Amino acid sequence: RMHKVIDIRVLGDYVIWMKFQDGLEKQVNFRPYLGKGFTAELLRPSKFKEAFIEEGGGIAWPNGYDFCPDYLHDYVPAVTT
């Protein structure tokens, strides 16, 4: 079954809070995924803040970089505060 992100908030330090349609909420640090090739521009906070929920329920940026919602739900560790 496909997971879908239904709400996001860009926090700070490359962290995005997200809520999935099954009710799971988590904060994910995207910094380890940024910095090489076309992802380098997302190290600029103004660019990182352009994150949005794409049609398939994942998280994407206008430059085409995106994350599968299943990967975000099942495999990416949540930030502990």
Side-chain angles (χ1 to χ4, degrees):
R1 164 169 123 65
M2 244 336 235
H3 295 290
K4 284 192 174 181
V5 176
I6 58 168
D7 194 14
I8 65 170
R9 277 198 294 273
V10 178
L11 304 177
D13 298 323
Y14 309 106
V15 174
I16 295 178
W17 169 88
M18 61 193 75
K19 182 175 185 175
F20 293 85
Q21 73 184 90
D22 67 358
L24 176 70
E25 296 181 32
K26 70 195 295 190
Q27 294 180 28
V28 171
N29 178 6
F30 285 86
R31 178 61 186 91
Y33 305 99
L34 306 176
K36 293 206 161 68
F38 78 113
T39 69
E41 71 174 322
L42 299 178
L43 290 173
R44 296 201 338 250
S46 60
K47 289 288 186 188
F48 185 78
K49 288 179 182 165
E50 295 176 354
F52 64 94
I53 301 170
E54 63 181 353
E55 190 177 318
I59 292 179
W61 284 267
N63 71 353
Y65 194 45
D66 64 344
F67 280 82
C68 166
D70 286 342
Y71 180 71
L72 290 169
H73 186 283
D74 295 336
Y75 301 106
V76 176
V79 173
T80 53
T81 53

